[in-house]
Amino acid sequence: MSNWERIKSEIEEYTNNSHLTELQIVAKLEKFYFNKKVNENLKLYKKGKKKVSDITKDLKISPRKFYAILNKKKIEYKKYNKD
């Protein structure tokens, strides 16, 4: 049994034991792993080892969304005026 088949069987088994559909389970997994990746990148950002542009490319999100995440987590960042 390949890894892919094992993952599918685990999701189907979990679906049978819970009140969620396969798509709901996958959405929750996606959210969990996205947040995990965000937290890893935020640690590097706080230490100054990773730039915003690298993080946004890594996470495939816009810089505006990244700054919204920083605001939500109450992390300070430098604001630039384009004037």
Side-chain angles (χ1 to χ4, degrees):
M1 182 183 270
S2 71
N3 288 337
W4 178 248
E5 290 173 352
R6 189 174 11 183
I7 291 170
K8 288 193 317 188
S9 67
E10 288 288 330
I11 290 175
E12 288 172 1
E13 182 180 325
Y14 189 77
T15 302
N16 292 333
N17 295 333
S18 70
H19 63 281
L20 301 173
T21 66
E22 288 93 350
L23 289 176
Q24 289 172 326
I25 294 168
V26 170
K28 285 187 177 212
L29 286 171
E30 181 182 10
K31 185 176 180 181
F32 171 78
Y33 284 108
F34 177 77
N35 287 333
K36 185 176 177 182
K37 190 80 170 172
V38 166
N39 289 334
E40 289 172 7
N41 282 309
L42 285 178
K43 287 178 187 175
L44 294 172
Y45 177 75
K46 285 180 189 177
K47 293 178 183 177
K49 295 184 178 183
K50 206 162 186 185
K51 295 180 180 179
V52 174
S53 61
D54 296 332
I55 293 172
T56 55
K57 285 179 188 174
D58 214 18
L59 298 174
K60 297 179 180 134
I61 59 172
S62 68
R64 184 175 281 182
K65 188 169 183 178
F66 179 71
Y67 287 118
I69 291 171
L70 290 177
N71 283 334
K72 185 177 177 184
K73 297 202 179 241
K74 297 179 182 170
I75 298 173
E76 291 187 25
Y77 58 91
K78 207 174 220 181
K79 296 180 182 178
Y80 296 102
N81 285 336
K82 292 186 176 182
D83 295 339

